[in-house]
Amino acid sequence: MGKYVLFSEGARGSLSKQLIAKFKLDENCQPPKFGIGIKELWQIEPENHKAGLVQHAFGWPLDNNVGGGAFLYHFEDNIVAVGHVIHLDYKDPYLSPFDEFQRFKTHPAIRKTFKGAKRTSFGARVISEGGWQSVPKLSFAGGALIGCAAGLVNLPRIKGSHNAILSGMLAAEKVAQAIGDGRSSDELVAYNDSWRTSDVGKDLKPVRNVKPLWSRFGTIWGVALGGFDMWTNSLFNLSIFGTLKHKTQDANSLEPAAKHQKINYEKPDNVLSFDRASSVYLSNTNHEEDQPAHLHLNNVALQQSSEFEIFDGPSTRYCPAGVYEWSEIEGKNTYIINAQNCLHCKTCDIKDPNKNINWVTPQGGEGPLYQDM
Ligand code: SF4
């Protein structure tokens, strides 16, 4: 066992989740917020490629009440990364982030990039979106959280790698000081006390109201107000909103299916849009089929009485890998978990309306094996 252990598991880390609960690290912060990001790599025709081009979009196909956006990055060798993020505080249990992403690529301004192109990779992962006000206490006896495990993503920049590096450097500095002083396994109080005045805090504080404004006022007004707030923060170091709160955990935002209409997504054309099975194939996901399942239900009966009967099975739509199915087996409605397809995105651990799904680590090293993602 190390003298100090730094946890850098990424967003919704499963060990970090347990540590936050065990040490009550979140008792003085706002609830964590997340988005699901789905991404593909494409090999496109040279005439459609502009090395270095960066495009960001928000709005269509999402309506004004669903937060999210998209990106296209033109890398070298005619490779384009295209991705779509949906904030997980959406209300409609019929919404499918995977299918919204497939629809996004059909926009006339986007689809021309992919004329004659070939999809080569697919992946999905949640992104921390809570920012400044959702960062838990970062230190505890013998360890600390760093990077996305601590929720240090700058939402409007869609970027967290810089703060992952900076928080790792800051924590390492405090560990070195502690070990130099002959300490071990105690709490790195200096790390927790210093991050808000460090470059990490200076990056996150000015953008702290973008997400709560977006959630409250929708895309049109929320993004405009968020932009205004970032502007006053950058120029005058002040916000007319102070620090806004996040309303609630993402698990609590789904509304009963009876309040919504089913969404009829178009069938994939297998040229520009695809189904889940062929997408998971491109993620090179592998789990041994007879290993202990890594997706646990806390209460099996609750999945039928609530997830299915009240919310009409949203896990069959929010999971980008088609892991969850409701199916009639021997006359009985049955919840099927195809755990071997899991992309480890962690959406189910966050978005189940009863917090009834617990994602735990599968046996060593298995899961998606992304190529160049
Ligand atoms: S089972 Fe959960 S973690 Fe795995 S791909 Fe589906 S939503 Fe993501």
Side-chain angles (χ1 to χ4, degrees):
M1 185 69 172
K3 292 180 177 174
Y4 297 96
V5 180
L6 303 180
F7 291 82
S8 55
E9 298 176 281
R12 192 62 157 201
S14 45
L15 291 174
S16 310
K17 186 174 110 170
Q18 293 174 55
L19 290 164
I20 288 169
K22 179 176 167 67
F23 293 105
K24 297 188 171 57
L25 302 178
D26 59 351
E27 64 185 354
N28 293 315
C29 68
Q30 293 290 299
K33 304 297 285 182
F34 297 94
I36 175 175
I38 305 178
K39 179 175 153 187
E40 295 173 346
L41 292 186
W42 286 72
Q43 182 85 43
I44 69 165
E45 292 293 330
E47 63 265 28
N48 295 325
H49 186 256
K50 293 181 192 140
L53 179 66
V54 169
Q55 294 170 291
H56 285 161
F58 54 85
W60 192 90
L62 306 179
D63 72 29
N64 190 47
N65 297 319
V66 180
F71 59 84
L72 273 85
Y73 302 144
H74 289 233
F75 294 119
E76 57 205 2
D77 300 329
N78 302 322
I79 302 287
V80 166
V82 55
H84 198 248
V85 178
I86 292 188
H87 302 177
L88 284 177
D89 51 9
Y90 66 82
K91 296 176 182 166
D92 185 348
Y94 290 115
L95 188 138
S96 162
F98 175 88
D99 292 293
E100 295 293 342
F101 173 43
Q102 300 305 315
R103 279 174 74 192
F104 166 74
K105 288 181 290 175
T106 65
H107 189 284
I110 303 301
R111 72 181 310 144
K112 61 187 181 190
T113 302
F114 301 105
K115 190 158 186 274
K118 182 172 185 290
R119 188 174 71 145
T120 57
S121 293
F122 173 87
R125 188 72 172 86
V126 295
I127 300 165
S128 297
E129 294 186 341
W132 172 266
Q133 52 273 64
S134 292
V135 176
K137 188 180 174 210
L138 297 183
S139 59
F140 47 88
L145 304 177
I146 61 176
C148 290
L152 303 178
V153 169
N154 181 317
L155 172 70
R157 291 173 75 187
I158 329 174
K159 193 173 166 198
S161 49
H162 60 316
N163 287 337
I165 294 167
L166 289 169
S167 61
M169 288 164 61
L170 186 63
E173 194 182 286
K174 304 304 177 194
V175 167
Q177 278 169 7
I179 292 174
D181 291 343
R183 292 163 42 201
S184 84
S185 304
D186 60 355
E187 188 175 337
L188 294 164
V189 177
Y191 169 56
N192 187 59
D193 286 350
S194 57
W195 81 265
R196 287 189 191 270
T197 51
S198 73
D199 286 343
V200 178
K202 287 177 193 156
D203 181 64
L204 292 185
K205 192 174 181 193
V207 303
R208 66 194 179 281
N209 288 327
V210 172
K211 166 75 180 170
L213 286 167
W214 201 335
S215 299
R216 275 175 177 74
F217 297 105
T219 299
I220 295 171
W221 281 106
V223 170
L225 288 168
F228 173 75
D229 192 62
M230 284 196 292
W231 182 67
T232 61
N233 269 289
S234 302
L235 284 184
F236 312 114
N237 196 24
L238 65 85
S239 166
I240 59 169
F241 301 106
T243 297
L244 293 172
K245 293 184 173 175
H246 296 302
K247 280 188 190 152
T248 182
Q249 293 183 5
D250 295 326
N252 301 332
S253 64
L254 276 187
E255 292 177 341
K259 291 179 108 179
H260 296 269
Q261 303 280 325
K262 286 191 178 169
I263 303 173
N264 287 317
Y265 291 105
E266 275 193 25
K267 285 217 163 80
D269 62 10
N270 294 319
V271 176
L272 187 60
S273 56
F274 301 91
D275 63 9
R276 284 171 166 83
S278 63
S279 302
V280 171
Y281 175 76
L282 286 181
S283 69
N284 297 309
T285 294
N286 175 53
H287 297 91
E288 260 183 36
E289 292 204 19
D290 58 355
Q291 70 170 285
H294 69 279
L295 297 158
H296 296 180
L297 287 181
N298 299 328
N299 179 340
V300 176
L302 185 61
Q303 217 58 6
Q304 166 76 30
S305 64
S306 178
E307 209 265 352
F308 183 76
E309 290 177 10
I310 297 175
F311 296 97
D312 204 5
S315 57
T316 62
R317 292 174 285 276
Y318 64 61
C319 172
V323 166
Y324 300 102
E325 290 175 60
W326 283 101
S327 194
E328 187 101 346
I329 297 179
E330 295 174 359
K332 201 169 156 225
N333 191 36
T334 307
Y335 197 49
I336 300 169
I337 304 178
N338 303 298
Q340 69 275 15
N341 287 348
C342 177
L343 293 168
H344 299 191
C345 76
K346 308 286 182 75
T347 304
C348 53
D349 194 276
I350 295 162
K351 190 62 179 167
D352 180 84
N354 302 295
K355 299 175 206 151
N356 196 27
I357 299 177
N358 189 28
W359 191 101
V360 299
T361 43
Q363 68 182 16
E366 296 190 345
L369 190 60
Y370 294 134
Q371 305 290 316
D372 306 320
M373 289 281 273

